[in-house]
Amino acid sequence: MTLSPLEAGPREFTFTDDDFRNLAKLARAEFGLSLADSKKPLVYSRLARRLRARNVASFRDYMTLLAAEAEGEERLELVSALTTNVTSFFREKHHFDSLQSELLPQFSQQRRVRIWSAGCSSGQEAFSTAMTLLAAFPDAARRDMRILATDIDPAIVRKARAARYPLEERAAIPAALQSRWTVTRETDPGFFEMAPDVKALVTFGELNLVEPWPFRGPFDAIFCRNVAIYFDQETQQTLWANLARMLREGGLLFIGHSERVSGPATSDLATAGVTTYRKRPGRDRPATN
Ligand SMILES: C[S@@+](CC[C@H](N)C(=O)[O-])C[C@H]1O[C@@H](n2cnc3c(N)ncnc32)[C@H](O)[C@@H]1O
């Protein structure tokens, strides 16, 4: 076997092109993750710590371990290592402004409001949505307004449920919302928590977006931002189509700043602002995930 330049240098773990191809195949089949050949050095550096943690000597052994683990614990570690959980309160604030100006006026007429944060990471996106709702409807829970927030990574979902963040992150929350919907405690210096009313609006769960979804919607708005960026084009197009199906007519889809809806969903979704799409009327289709 010939060694590629990347394999030639001294490395802690053996990582052949075949190992990389097998890993890329698994990441795509199970999680929709796209690992182009150019990502090989990145994959090595991200996964080396997993090999150390699991005390295996080569990527081939790591693949054997992934195949052997029935519960798939290590597979979730693999996704964690290959994606990032970077997020923040009111990230891409224009989306929350659109939610407020375009949808909130209609919500006052509705009996039920459902919003989904798909790929929610540690929860800041869902809690920013909850605060936006509460600012307009302090009685949001009584009005049956709910936010579903899901992520594939159980560790990050646990963190989101704790609703506790370093104090530095509070500055990103508009001042009026900070004072009303966040709580600091003398007994927990350096951190703040979301207020009980904010937490009460959000339900967190684990969900792999490339597997069938156990609910039918419809949602008034979906945030699926900075997640599809990791997927190959086919997986992205299936995801957009399935998200469009989950929206009610007139509902909004917010996506990440470097993402674009493509494929069949483009006929269901009309552009409604920067990285914002609105579901057109009469566009309900069957599920494809
Ligand atoms: C960069 S964060 C985005 C967080 C938030 N949406 C935002 O834009 O600030 C990406 C998240 O996608 C999650 N993710 C990656 N692949 C996923 C999959 N197949 N299903 C569900 N979530 C996934 C990761 O665990 C991570 O928390």
Side-chain angles (χ1 to χ4, degrees):
M1 187 199 321
T2 52
L3 291 179
S4 70
L6 273 166
E7 291 163 355
R11 281 205 192 155
E12 187 180 356
F13 303 108
T14 310
F15 191 27
T16 65
D17 284 345
D18 276 351
D19 295 336
F20 177 71
R21 267 190 292 274
N22 290 336
L23 197 65
K25 216 189 272 177
L26 183 141
R28 186 184 185 288
E30 300 216 5
F31 310 108
L33 302 181
S34 166
L35 301 178
D37 289 351
S38 58
K39 298 237 176 100
K40 191 177 171 196
L42 180 79
V43 169
Y44 179 91
S45 63
R46 294 261 178 104
L47 288 183
R49 68 180 168 78
R50 290 308 312 153
L51 273 71
R52 266 175 236 124
R54 299 304 306 264
N55 206 17
V56 292
S58 69
F59 274 80
R60 181 177 295 187
D61 291 350
Y62 184 64
M63 291 298 294
T64 308
L65 186 149
L66 283 170
E69 272 197 4
E71 293 301 314
E73 285 284 304
E74 188 57 37
R75 287 171 191 231
L76 295 173
E77 295 287 352
L78 175 77
V79 181
S80 270
L82 296 178
T83 61
T84 84
N85 296 124
V86 171
T87 188
S88 53
F89 285 99
F90 290 92
R91 183 180 198 182
E92 293 167 59
K93 185 169 173 298
H94 59 97
H95 286 156
F96 298 93
D97 295 341
S98 299
L99 178 68
Q100 193 175 16
S101 61
E102 310 259 328
L103 289 182
L104 260 50
Q106 301 168 25
F107 288 173
S108 56
Q109 318 292 325
Q110 287 181 215
R111 283 232 200 115
R112 169 189 181 277
V113 169
R114 292 290 181 271
I115 297 177
W116 182 16
S117 167
C120 64
S121 186
S122 36
Q124 289 87 332
E125 183 175 271
F127 289 132
S128 302
T129 307
M131 286 186 276
T132 304
L133 286 181
L134 282 165
F137 304 101
D139 58 345
R142 203 174 47 77
R143 287 171 172 264
D144 196 14
M145 295 180 170
R146 299 279 182 273
I147 297 156
L148 171 69
T150 61
D151 200 283
I152 194 173
D153 179 348
I156 209 74
V157 171
R158 274 199 297 280
K159 205 167 159 201
R161 277 202 189 102
R164 173 179 176 266
Y165 301 97
L167 217 40
E168 310 80 87
E169 290 196 32
R170 204 162 66 140
I173 302 174
L177 301 181
Q178 265 182 45
S179 55
R180 188 134 186 224
W181 305 114
T182 68
V183 179
T184 52
R185 297 179 210 287
E186 276 178 21
T187 50
D188 192 17
F191 291 88
F192 71 97
E193 260 183 50
M194 303 315 303
D197 285 359
V198 183
K199 288 196 253 185
L201 292 193
V202 186
T203 303
F204 289 101
E206 292 165 24
L207 181 73
N208 181 352
L209 286 171
V210 307
E211 284 178 355
W213 303 338
F215 44 78
R216 298 217 322 243
F219 292 93
D220 298 279
I222 300 176
F223 289 78
C224 187
R225 309 186 307 166
N226 310 300
V227 185
I229 199 171
Y230 299 108
F231 300 163
D232 60 71
Q233 203 191 14
E234 191 188 333
T235 308
Q236 285 190 14
Q237 293 191 355
T238 305
L239 176 67
W240 302 136
N242 287 326
L243 291 172
R245 178 175 52 81
M246 281 283 164
L247 276 176
R248 68 155 167 84
E249 289 180 3
L252 293 182
L253 170 67
F254 301 109
I255 68 173
H257 55 93
S258 56
E259 297 162 343
R260 292 288 167 276
V261 166
S262 60
T266 52
S267 54
D268 300 342
L269 299 167
T271 302
V274 179
T275 52
T276 304
Y277 298 82
R278 185 188 299 281
K279 184 163 176 182
R280 295 191 166 100
R283 308 297 308 189
D284 283 332
R285 288 167 187 265
T288 53
N289 72 344

